[in-house]
Amino acid sequence: MVDRNPEQMQLFLDKLLRHSLLSDEEQQAILDLPGFEQKVSAGVDFVGMGERVDHACLIVAGLAGRFGQTDTGDRQIVELHIPGDMADLHSVVVPDSAMPLQAIEDVALRKIPHSALYGLCDRFPAVARSFWRDGIIDLHMVAQTLVSLGRRRADARLACLICELFLRFARIGRGDERGFEFKVTQPQIADMLGLTPVHVNRTLRVLREDGLLILKDSRVEILDWDGLAELAEFDPAYLQLDRVDLHG
Amino acid sequence: MVDRNPEQMQLFLDKLLRHSLLSDEEQQAILDLPGFEQKVSAGVDFVGMGERVDHACLIVAGLAGRFGQTDTGDRQIVELHIPGDMADLHSVVVPDSAMPLQAIEDVALRKIPHSALYGLCDRFPAVARSFWRDGIIDLHMVAQTLVSLGRRRADARLACLICELFLRFARIGRGDERGFEFKVTQPQIADMLGLTPVHVNRTLRVLREDGLLILKDSRVEILDWDGLAELAEFDPAYLQLDRVDLHG
DNA sequence: CGCGACTTTGACAGATGTCAAGGCTTGTGG
DNA sequence: CCACAAGCCTTGACATCTGTCAAAGTCGCG
């Protein structure tokens, strides 16, 4: 069951290398990490609420999300994870998952035992730092989303989401210069933006009528990037975060 | 200028020890961290937006916040930091501050050079882990706030904020069983909750008329904790996060 | 074929934002 | 000490945004 798959781990390594500097030996150690694959259908939770886990989940394909819930069952998606993201790398240091992880599209993932990640941190301090840094970048992204929900209206929030995903997908080679595949339902978008499905529908219509974007047949078509970025007040800085070499 | 102050560092150590296990030697090393004190008046930014910093700020007294801004100047406070919090511990691995830090009340802080924190991480892997963990707990708190802003109404959000602060303050000995000092303006509360000052005022009135709490003369008086917790759907689990000993 | 979930739309309700005004506190300078 | 300005608190009236409810159409799927 447990095997190695350097090609899949390469996705994760690429992400780390975008913000951290790692030696050849460290990189090789990451590629050699053991794990096992798993497929999860859209809509299925693969880490439960409050569950104690002993492995972290690398997203290999598809789209996953972490979400919170209120007592009335309303959901709020807090983070979106695309291929290359280790969705709960932080579970290495906080193994009790505070919020569930769910497959939003059909997802392929590779589960990496904490023990292996932990061993890597012990052997290579620079790897430990890159993991820490990875969590901090997640924190910045959630913080950015929080500003959006607190201080922007529905249309700007939606524009912001699309801009962010467009860039993130582009970086991993999903999508083209015009748009990207986005196999989600409007109720799911509502849960990302803190809106109701009905209002998402209305807002999508407005953006379509304004010639900004079209969401159709599970694909986002961007008609006017500049207009979209302006509406979203989009500043990609928080996503790119080029490598920080201060201490390696 | 640079000196040591184990009593102030003890505040930070206490916080780490709530979630991480550290040896005597590691604890002593934290208490011995060098730094220098600084006073900041309410309303003043002590870390600017996009500024590259070379030290982390331990809050010694008062209340500080990290906030984002939209192009129109609207603010959203993303995190609140109380005494004992190292407000930007994450700057050790991501020194370019994505969002400014501001004193919300008058604040006393101690600035700890990155080099010292960094050296500690190198010598003591367990300390590095506890720093990583500390950032992840911040992430959980911001995620929780995100759920609140996305899926709850003004009254519940406000109740949630008060519940959270009541417990956090109680843990560090600020406040008593009835309430706590809270020297903030209604516009500042609005920025914490993603509301307008006018609506904060209305919501405070409703909670007062419902006999839940009173905010007067810079003090929160809790009249009905159970009612407040029910309105907030308050689950303190995400705050307490008792020590995770899995790997030390 | 029929069910179920999603999409789309309209009408309406409720929550929150905006604007405006008066009273209050606080700090500053004369 | 007083006058004044600035910012806060409080309230009301109104506008706007978003949620709620309902219905019909669409689509995929067993």
Side-chain angles (χ1 to χ4, degrees), chain B residues 173-189:
Chain B
R174 172 166 158 174
D176 49 52
E177 65 282 349
R178 297 217 180 140
F180 53 89
E181 194 197 5
F182 196 39
K183 214 181 183 110
V184 300
T185 66
Q186 290 178 11
Q188 286 171 324
I189 297 177

Side-chain angles (χ1 to χ4, degrees), chain B residues 25-219:
Chain B
E25 191 187 4
E26 288 154 355
Q27 295 189 30
Q28 194 56 51
I30 286 170
L31 295 178
D32 279 346
L33 278 166
F36 55 95
E37 271 185 78
Q38 189 174 335
K39 304 273 187 193
V40 182
S41 300
V44 174
D45 288 11
F46 55 93
V47 173
M49 161 112 160
E51 182 182 331
R52 168 161 293 204
V53 298
D54 58 4
H55 50 257
C57 301
L58 170 63
I59 310 297
V60 172
L63 186 63
R66 175 178 301 274
F67 61 91
Q69 264 175 305
T70 67
D71 289 356
T72 57
D74 292 327
R75 292 186 157 192
Q76 175 63 47
I77 294 178
V78 158
E79 278 184 287
L80 287 176
H81 292 293
I82 67 175
D85 290 350
M86 191 77 81
D88 53 355
L89 183 54
H90 39 72
S91 67
V92 173
V93 287
V94 183
D96 293 301
S97 157
M99 292 179 174
L101 280 169
Q102 185 184 77
I104 293 178
E105 303 172 352
D106 287 345
V107 158
L109 49 85
R110 168 162 285 270
K111 294 192 166 184
I112 317 292
H114 282 172
S115 55
L117 291 163
Y118 195 82
L120 220 54
C121 289
D122 265 6
R123 278 195 300 155
F124 302 112
V127 170
R129 259 178 334 255
S130 74
F131 287 178
W132 180 10
R133 186 173 290 127
D134 203 68
I136 297 307
I137 293 170
D138 279 355
L139 175 58
H140 286 173
M141 292 188 51
V142 177
Q144 205 58 44
T145 308
L146 184 57
V147 174
S148 233
L149 288 223
R151 290 298 180 207
R152 293 215 262 259
R153 290 208 240 100
D155 51 357
R157 276 185 240 173
L158 179 54
C160 207
L161 175 70
I162 299 301
C163 288
E164 173 186 325
L165 285 176
F166 180 70
L167 289 194
R168 288 176 71 190
F169 281 145
R171 242 178 7 196
I172 62 168
R174 172 166 158 174
D176 49 52
E177 65 282 349
R178 297 217 180 140
F180 53 89
E181 194 197 5
F182 196 39
K183 214 181 183 110
V184 300
T185 66
Q186 290 178 11
Q188 286 171 324
I189 297 177
D191 288 342
M192 299 173 200
L193 299 176
L195 299 170
T196 54
V198 172
H199 201 63
V200 167
N201 187 285
R202 286 193 282 244
T203 307
L204 278 169
R205 176 166 46 149
V206 170
L207 295 196
R208 186 183 342 121
E209 288 170 355
D210 288 352
L212 294 175
L213 68 82
I214 294 174
L215 170 55
K216 195 166 188 231
D217 299 331
S218 298
R219 184 180 154 84

Side-chain angles (χ1 to χ4, degrees), chain A residues 70-71 75-76 90 93 95 99 118 122 129 132-133 136 144 149-151 190-191 194-195 233 244 247, chain B residues 70-71 75-76 90 93 95 99 118 122 129 131-133 136 144 149-151 190-191 194-195 233 244 247:
Chain A
T70 66
D71 289 356
R75 292 184 157 194
Q76 176 63 47
H90 39 72
V93 287
M99 291 178 175
Y118 196 82
D122 265 6
R129 257 176 339 254
W132 180 10
R133 185 173 291 127
I136 297 308
Q144 206 57 44
L149 287 223
R151 289 298 179 208
D191 287 343
L195 299 170
E233 299 182 356
V244 181
H247 302 282
Chain B
T70 67
D71 289 356
R75 292 186 157 192
Q76 175 63 47
H90 39 72
V93 287
M99 292 179 174
Y118 195 82
D122 265 6
R129 259 178 334 255
F131 287 178
W132 180 10
R133 186 173 290 127
I136 297 307
Q144 205 58 44
L149 288 223
R151 290 298 180 207
D191 288 342
L195 299 170
E233 300 182 356
V244 182
H247 303 281

Side-chain angles (χ1 to χ4, degrees), chain A residues 171-188:
Chain A
R171 244 179 4 197
I172 61 167
R174 173 166 157 174
D176 49 52
E177 65 283 347
R178 297 217 179 140
F180 53 89
E181 194 197 4
F182 196 39
K183 214 182 183 114
V184 301
T185 66
Q186 290 178 13
Q188 284 172 326

Side-chain angles (χ1 to χ4, degrees), chain A:
Chain A
M1 191 78 161
V2 171
D3 60 6
R4 276 151 226 273
N5 187 322
E7 278 162 42
Q8 292 187 349
M9 297 313 298
Q10 184 73 47
L11 296 170
F12 176 53
L13 178 57
D14 286 345
K15 190 183 178 210
L16 291 181
L17 290 177
R18 272 204 296 275
H19 55 67
S20 296
L21 192 61
L22 298 171
S23 72
D24 289 347
E25 191 188 3
E26 288 154 354
Q27 295 190 30
Q28 194 55 52
I30 286 169
L31 295 178
D32 279 346
L33 278 167
F36 55 95
E37 272 185 78
Q38 188 175 335
K39 304 275 188 190
V40 182
S41 301
V44 173
D45 288 12
F46 55 92
V47 173
M49 161 113 160
E51 182 182 332
R52 168 162 293 206
V53 298
D54 57 5
H55 51 258
C57 300
L58 169 63
I59 309 297
V60 172
L63 186 63
R66 175 178 301 275
F67 61 91
Q69 266 176 305
T70 66
D71 289 356
T72 56
D74 292 328
R75 292 184 157 194
Q76 176 63 47
I77 293 177
V78 157
E79 277 183 288
L80 287 176
H81 292 293
I82 69 175
D85 291 350
M86 191 78 81
D88 54 354
L89 182 54
H90 39 72
S91 66
V92 173
V93 287
V94 183
D96 293 300
S97 157
M99 291 178 175
L101 280 170
Q102 185 184 77
I104 292 177
E105 303 171 352
D106 287 344
V107 159
L109 49 84
R110 168 161 284 270
K111 293 192 166 184
I112 318 292
H114 283 171
S115 54
L117 291 163
Y118 196 82
L120 220 54
C121 290
D122 265 6
R123 278 195 302 160
F124 302 112
V127 171
R129 257 176 339 254
S130 74
F131 287 179
W132 180 10
R133 185 173 291 127
D134 203 69
I136 297 308
I137 292 171
D138 279 356
L139 175 59
H140 287 172
M141 293 189 49
V142 177
Q144 206 57 44
T145 308
L146 184 57
V147 175
S148 234
L149 287 223
R151 289 298 179 208
R152 291 214 261 259
R153 289 207 242 99
D155 52 356
R157 275 185 240 173
L158 179 54
C160 207
L161 175 70
I162 299 300
C163 287
E164 174 186 324
L165 285 176
F166 180 70
L167 288 194
R168 288 176 71 190
F169 281 146
R171 244 179 4 197
I172 61 167
R174 173 166 157 174
D176 49 52
E177 65 283 347
R178 297 217 179 140
F180 53 89
E181 194 197 4
F182 196 39
K183 214 182 183 114
V184 301
T185 66
Q186 290 178 13
Q188 284 172 326
I189 297 177
D191 287 343
M192 300 172 199
L193 299 176
L195 299 170
T196 55
V198 171
H199 202 63
V200 168
N201 187 285
R202 285 192 283 244
T203 308
L204 279 169
R205 177 164 48 149
V206 171
L207 295 197
R208 186 182 343 121
E209 287 169 355
D210 288 352
L212 295 175
L213 67 83
I214 294 175
L215 171 55
K216 194 165 188 231
D217 299 331
S218 298
R219 183 180 154 85
V220 170
E221 203 76 42
I222 293 183
L223 303 178
D224 176 2
W225 172 261
D226 292 342
L228 212 53
E230 187 186 347
L231 175 59
E233 299 182 356
F234 188 66
D235 171 14
Y238 74 100
L239 288 174
Q240 316 217 304
L241 199 60
D242 283 321
R243 191 175 303 157
V244 181
D245 289 327
L246 198 59
H247 302 282

